[in-house]
Amino acid sequence: MRKYCEVRTTTVFDRITTTTFDDLADVPDGAIRGLLYEFGESALAEHEDPTFARTWGLWRAVNASLTAASAGDRPGTERNGVPGWLDRVIAFRLDALSTHATGDGDFRTIRILERRGFASPPHDDTYTLALVGGLGVADTAATLRADPQLLATELWRIFEVEGGGEVSLTAVDKYSHDDDNSWAATIRLLVASGDLDRDRVLDATLAALDRDFSAFRAGWFSRLWVSLEPTADESAARQSALRSLLRSDVKPTVALAVTHLRAVAGAGRMDDADTARALGPAALAPVKGTALAALRLVRDLYATGGASRDDVVHVASEALGHTHADVQRSAATLLVELGARDVVASMRAALAPSVAVDFVAAAHALPEPEPATPADFALATTLVPTTGRAVTEQLSALLEDDADVIGLELVLAGLSATPDADLLSPLRARAVRLVERAEREGQAPAPLRSEIARLVLRGLGEEVCPLPLAHSGYLTNATLPVAFLTGRMDELADVLRGHRPPSVLLATPEDGSGSIRAATLVERLTRAPEPAPLDLVAALLRLHPGGRAEALAAAAALPAAVRYALGGAEAPEQIAPGEESTWVAAGRARSVTEVDPVLLRSGLGGPGRAHPIGARVRTSAEIEQYDDGRGVRTWTSWRWELRLTQPLYHVARDQPTGMRQLGRGDARWRAATEDDLDPQEVTTRVADTWSASFGRSDLGAYVGWAATIWPADAEHFLVSTAGSVLDAAISTEVEYDAVRVLDALGAHPGRLGHLSAVTLAAGLAAGRQDQRVHAVDAVDALLRAGRLRPEMLAEGVTSFGGAGSLVRTASSWKDLASISPQASALVVDTLTAALPDADRAATGMHAVLAVLEDELLRAARPTPATLQPWLRGFTGSSRAARTAGRLASR
């Protein structure tokens, strides 16, 4: 018996199938079946257990048997039937080919087995996608011609099955380096040679565009249609299909339909009335050019008598609801020409101010916004620790959704005061699964709910190893809050296991921000004079600024560090060993913005220790190029650096406010050298588009908990978390934490500084719309709380600079301005302060200026005098220059 590995051919060992159906034309069926048995038995002997390796070995045996047969080998015994494993292995390979594109030609092997009658796999979607992703030959057209049944039947199914991931017509062609052998080139070649019916291909292409395919995958069919260069007659014969595409959610599809319907109209072949009535959705297409083309088409139809006035008024009225002022202007012009100015007037509320000024009588100006009321950082209703069976219910919910960090704090407080293992027992099975999954997947840091599960198991007396915190093995600014918070849970586990006595938790928050009243801390310390170390640190950092003098008067018997945090003058000359963490927390609780002399003389300098957090962001651009085989590609890579004004090279779990330098000594980071920086500055983070997430952890639900560590200072929170938002604006990577960070920043009661402003600016320019929406909400929340001033936000916009896309930012400014007159005023004042530092030639400048013009018109405000010189610096006839000219003349 042969072993399949003895067939020493390039085709087998390189996994490239070159055997064709014609190569086996003279080989008897029995001989092929016999070889399938022989090579298959060798594979089964090598892999006795039914694993992936065994199935893959059997598939290689199939290829080896066909290769051997074409080379003249014959089996010891011919067979009348095929091996029982063959259908299963074919299904395995079809499934793989339908999800992972490959150039090994294995689909051709499956077709050989089918055509010889050895297998009959179902011709379903999986089969079609396997054809797309697994034909893998140098001449696709020739291969299809050599398989008439495949060409006549299954090939047409590629117009019906969308695919996904690696396998779709779009993906396979995009990542193929052989444009002449792409699927699109193959279809064109087969059409040109007459092997495929041209009319049927055109019909199938439009039918594919009318299916619910994603924009990415629908694009292949749009490009195929254009490349086939349909004549006006061919488009005219398909007017109904083209009209149907006007309702598509895919923007390029609507543009294609409008373009070709205009060509049909130009050739005098249009079914005018039906088309005019169908153009309403196209007039609202998000792409301005498409909507304007639809309006031009309906205008042309009316001019030639092919559309009624009512149809044109209907389409133009729809277009007044478009988001772009140019489309509104074109529609309003058309309506006025038709004598329907009253329709324009009725839509005044939806019109951009610049359009309304031109077409509708002036309305009363909006009232000036009322001044923002400063936030008093008042505490909300006092929260109560969770007790009894409610502990079990709340923990059960947290094991499924760990987002409620305040709820978790209340559970910790309840368990610390009255530890009861019976409350944890019902949760054991679920906790075991979560901990095992965290250990198996190795995510660092492990999800918060896995840490909660570990607490449950340790509370039940089980030994559970610490879960992964950081792949690097050392703490970073990102993982420091996680280490601190999980350390607090470890302290509670000691209570549950009887290693510490039950006690009130000092750090249990009294409101959603995490804050604690000074009087409450004094009262808790009186009841629990020997708190756990991290619990005391956490409580000091959560001290509310109000009521400290009164609390200090009642704190004579409390530790000196607590009295110092409350404003007391007593302090040691040198902090005793072992008390550093308590005094660091006390010093930072005492003042967020001042240098602490007690910490400084004890050698505890650095940001977040003796010194306040002082963070600055700097962005820079670099032009990069690469050759992808089709030509040299050029793009701008943006990087950002976060600097701290004081150096600190190590962080400690029990000092969660101390921030350190990141990146130095790591070759994967472009860390700035000392010569690049001011003497007292160190680089803490460098990011770019290719390594946006390297070395930084996705914190998940920890983000919300980290925001409550030091409620008095948002800057500290952002040193650990802002990277996800900054990267969201300059990177194509998915930034899972960006929305969480923006939500936490919008609700944070603490100090806002440079880093807060830059984070908001980056959020307004983020790559995903949902991220920008949350950034707008955060800005609005801080504005309504009286905590965000225009000059502060402008400084963030200027610092982030060209790293943020103006096109995306303009959309955010527009959304923000629409919320309220107060928000509109913030947009105007922020842009007034930021634009003089902007590049007039930047892409998207017109969009930003258009928002500014609209909001000035909406509020009946003149263009600010401080902006006039910058506006007059525009030259040329670009849209930005024309808008700047109008603004400068107001």
Side-chain angles (χ1 to χ4, degrees):
M1 180 182 296
R2 300 174 183 83
K3 287 187 177 290
Y4 70 91
C5 57
E6 294 173 356
V7 181
R8 190 68 172 90
T9 65
T10 302
T11 57
V12 173
F13 284 86
D14 287 354
R15 292 171 49 190
I16 302 297
T17 303
T18 59
T19 304
T20 68
F21 182 81
D22 291 340
D23 291 340
L24 300 170
D26 297 329
V27 181
D29 288 348
I32 297 176
R33 288 192 291 260
L35 289 171
L36 287 170
Y37 269 99
E38 290 187 7
F39 282 90
E41 288 169 5
S42 294
L44 291 171
E46 184 174 343
H47 305 282
E48 296 182 359
D49 296 328
T51 61
F52 171 86
R54 183 185 192 188
T55 305
W56 180 245
L58 286 171
W59 176 253
R60 291 192 53 156
V62 170
N63 275 328
S65 63
L66 297 183
T67 300
S70 66
D73 275 11
R74 295 296 180 265
T77 303
E78 293 191 1
R79 297 291 190 119
N80 292 324
V82 297
W85 46 260
L86 185 60
D87 285 345
R88 184 180 73 255
V89 171
I90 290 175
F92 154 81
R93 195 65 190 129
L94 283 171
D95 185 66
L97 294 174
S98 70
T99 55
H100 299 285
T102 175
D104 57 18
D106 280 353
F107 185 81
R108 185 167 56 178
T109 298
I110 294 170
R111 285 296 301 164
I112 292 173
L113 297 173
E114 277 193 272
R115 296 175 70 184
R116 293 299 292 253
F118 300 152
S120 299
H123 286 204
D124 52 12
D125 290 358
T126 297
Y127 187 91
T128 301
L129 292 175
L131 163 63
V132 172
L135 197 58
V137 292
D139 190 342
T140 303
T143 301
L144 292 170
R145 290 190 187 105
D147 191 342
Q149 183 183 8
L150 190 65
L151 183 64
T153 57
E154 193 58 35
L155 183 64
W156 294 102
R157 288 265 296 150
I158 70 174
F159 291 87
E160 302 171 6
V161 181
E162 179 179 12
E166 290 183 21
V167 180
S168 66
L169 292 166
T170 304
V172 171
D173 276 8
K174 178 178 180 179
Y175 298 108
S176 168
H177 294 296
D178 186 0
D179 290 343
D180 293 335
N181 195 47
S182 65
W183 276 108
T186 297
I187 297 299
R188 289 193 297 270
L189 182 61
L190 293 172
V191 168
S193 65
D195 292 289
L196 288 179
D197 181 74
R198 177 179 174 86
D199 284 335
R200 186 176 177 185
V201 169
L202 291 172
D203 290 339
T205 301
L206 292 183
L209 288 171
D210 209 14
R211 292 186 172 89
D212 191 23
F213 291 174
S214 71
F216 175 72
R217 289 181 276 277
W220 186 90
F221 298 97
S222 291
R223 292 187 291 274
L224 177 63
W225 171 270
V226 172
S227 70
L228 289 171
E229 299 179 351
T231 65
D233 288 341
E234 288 174 326
S235 295
R238 294 166 176 82
Q239 289 180 62
S240 178
L242 288 168
R243 281 195 295 272
S244 181
L245 299 183
L246 295 172
R247 301 190 303 270
S248 175
D249 292 330
V250 178
K251 292 178 282 190
T253 299
V254 179
L256 178 146
V258 171
T259 298
H260 287 273
L261 286 171
R262 291 190 70 197
V264 172
R269 301 286 307 280
M270 181 68 74
D271 297 334
D272 297 332
D274 291 339
T275 300
R277 285 191 291 268
L279 282 169
L284 286 173
V287 178
K288 181 185 75 170
T290 303
L292 290 174
L295 287 173
R296 284 193 291 270
L297 176 55
V298 77
R299 181 195 296 271
D300 293 344
L301 293 175
Y302 180 71
T304 59
S308 69
R309 179 183 180 279
D310 289 345
D311 287 339
V312 179
V313 169
H314 170 73
V315 174
S317 300
E318 291 280 324
L320 288 177
H322 200 280
T323 58
H324 202 289
D326 288 352
V327 177
Q328 295 180 1
R329 191 180 307 278
S330 178
T333 300
L334 179 55
L335 287 167
V336 170
E337 291 174 358
L338 294 172
R341 185 182 290 272
D342 59 321
V343 175
V344 182
S346 69
M347 294 285 289
R348 188 188 194 287
L351 297 178
S354 58
V355 177
V357 165
D358 292 341
F359 290 92
V360 184
H364 294 294
L366 291 173
E368 287 291 321
E370 296 181 1
T373 302
D376 59 4
F377 193 8
L379 285 169
T381 303
T382 300
L383 301 172
V384 179
T386 305
T387 58
R389 288 297 170 187
V391 169
T392 306
E393 295 175 2
Q394 183 67 34
L395 278 175
S396 177
L398 287 165
L399 290 175
E400 303 306 321
D401 182 357
D402 50 12
D404 184 6
V405 295
I406 298 299
L408 175 57
E409 288 277 6
L410 299 180
V411 167
L412 300 183
L415 286 173
S416 180
T418 55
D420 185 352
D422 289 341
L423 298 177
L424 306 179
S425 297
L427 307 173
R428 183 185 181 282
R430 179 59 175 155
V432 167
R433 287 195 295 273
L434 288 173
V435 169
E436 288 178 345
R437 178 188 299 174
E439 292 173 339
R440 181 173 63 252
E441 295 179 352
Q443 180 180 342
L448 175 55
R449 62 179 187 154
S450 298
E451 288 287 0
I452 298 171
R454 178 173 177 266
L455 171 64
V456 169
L457 295 179
R458 295 196 68 210
L460 291 171
E462 301 187 23
E463 295 299 329
V464 186
C465 295
L467 296 178
L469 178 64
H471 293 300
S472 62
Y474 55 84
L475 286 180
T476 67
N477 286 346
T479 55
L480 174 60
V482 179
F484 177 68
L485 297 167
T486 55
R488 289 185 55 216
M489 284 198 282
D490 285 341
E491 289 182 339
L492 175 59
D494 288 341
V495 175
L496 293 169
R497 295 162 71 92
H499 299 160
R500 295 184 62 88
S503 174
V504 60
L505 279 187
L506 305 183
T508 303
E510 293 192 278
D511 79 341
S513 72
S515 299
I516 302 171
R517 292 176 176 86
T520 300
L521 177 59
V522 172
E523 185 271 334
R524 288 176 180 174
L525 272 169
T526 303
R527 293 164 53 196
E530 296 184 4
L534 297 185
D535 184 33
L536 177 56
V537 169
L540 289 171
L541 291 174
R542 286 177 167 174
L543 265 179
H544 187 271
R548 293 191 180 186
E550 296 81 356
L552 178 62
L558 297 185
V562 176
R563 298 197 302 274
Y564 185 74
L566 292 172
E570 179 187 351
E573 190 63 29
Q574 285 289 322
I575 295 171
E579 296 183 2
E580 294 90 349
S581 61
T582 303
W583 278 95
V584 168
R588 295 285 31 108
R590 182 184 179 96
S591 174
V592 173
T593 59
E594 300 296 326
V595 176
D596 189 277
V598 176
L599 298 175
L600 195 60
R601 66 175 178 251
S602 296
L604 294 172
R609 300 206 301 179
H611 298 87
I613 298 289
R616 302 292 299 180
V617 174
R618 181 177 68 183
T619 61
S620 59
E622 183 175 323
I623 305 300
E624 302 190 36
Q625 294 181 330
Y626 77 102
D627 191 338
D628 65 354
R630 302 181 183 182
V632 176
R633 310 290 180 182
T634 301
W635 80 100
T636 301
S637 172
W638 280 96
R639 307 169 187 267
W640 58 265
E641 298 171 359
L642 174 60
R643 300 174 174 186
L644 298 179
T645 54
Q646 294 291 329
L648 177 61
Y649 299 105
H650 300 285
V651 294
R653 183 178 73 165
D654 59 356
Q655 297 176 25
T657 56
M659 296 286 104
R660 70 177 286 258
Q661 173 189 356
L662 292 179
R664 193 177 299 259
D666 189 336
R668 292 291 300 275
W669 295 90
R670 192 179 65 91
T673 65
E674 293 292 345
D675 292 337
D676 293 328
L677 308 177
D678 294 334
Q680 296 299 316
E681 294 181 323
V682 295
T683 301
T684 65
R685 176 76 160 86
V686 180
D688 58 31
T689 56
W690 63 268
S691 64
S693 61
F694 181 82
R696 178 174 57 76
S697 301
D698 290 313
L699 300 184
Y702 289 111
V703 168
W705 208 4
T708 69
I709 289 178
W710 193 7
D713 194 11
E715 296 289 284
H716 160 263
F717 159 68
L718 291 172
V719 171
S720 296
T721 60
S724 61
V725 182
L726 302 181
D727 285 341
I730 67 172
S731 169
T732 58
E733 298 293 327
V734 177
E735 296 299 331
Y736 297 102
D737 285 348
V739 166
R740 295 186 182 95
V741 173
L742 289 166
D743 288 348
L745 177 57
H748 205 288
R751 172 182 68 118
L752 301 178
H754 170 84
L755 185 53
S756 301
V758 173
T759 302
L760 292 171
L764 295 173
R768 291 171 55 97
Q769 184 176 3
D770 63 319
Q771 295 166 340
R772 298 196 297 274
V773 168
H774 284 264
V776 167
D777 288 345
V779 171
D780 181 56
L782 293 170
L783 175 66
R784 286 185 286 105
R787 307 191 55 241
L788 184 64
R789 303 183 307 278
E791 58 271 22
M792 177 189 298
L793 184 56
E795 196 262 341
V797 171
T798 301
S799 296
F800 200 60
S805 163
L806 289 185
V807 175
R808 297 197 295 252
T809 307
S811 172
S812 298
W813 292 131
K814 185 175 182 179
D815 290 343
L816 177 61
S818 69
I819 294 175
S820 67
Q822 184 183 5
S824 175
L826 175 74
V827 170
V828 170
D829 294 341
T830 301
L831 291 178
T832 297
L835 282 175
D837 293 311
D839 179 5
R840 296 183 182 89
T843 301
M845 181 58 70
H846 163 71
V848 174
L849 292 177
V851 173
L852 177 60
E853 181 182 30
D854 280 351
E855 297 314 309
L856 288 171
L857 288 167
R858 196 186 308 278
R861 292 175 57 180
T863 300
T866 55
L867 194 56
Q868 293 279 2
W870 182 80
L871 291 169
R872 295 192 185 98
F874 279 83
T875 59
S877 58
S878 67
R879 290 184 300 169
R882 294 197 302 272
T883 306
R886 291 196 301 272
L887 283 167
S889 64
R890 294 185 71 250

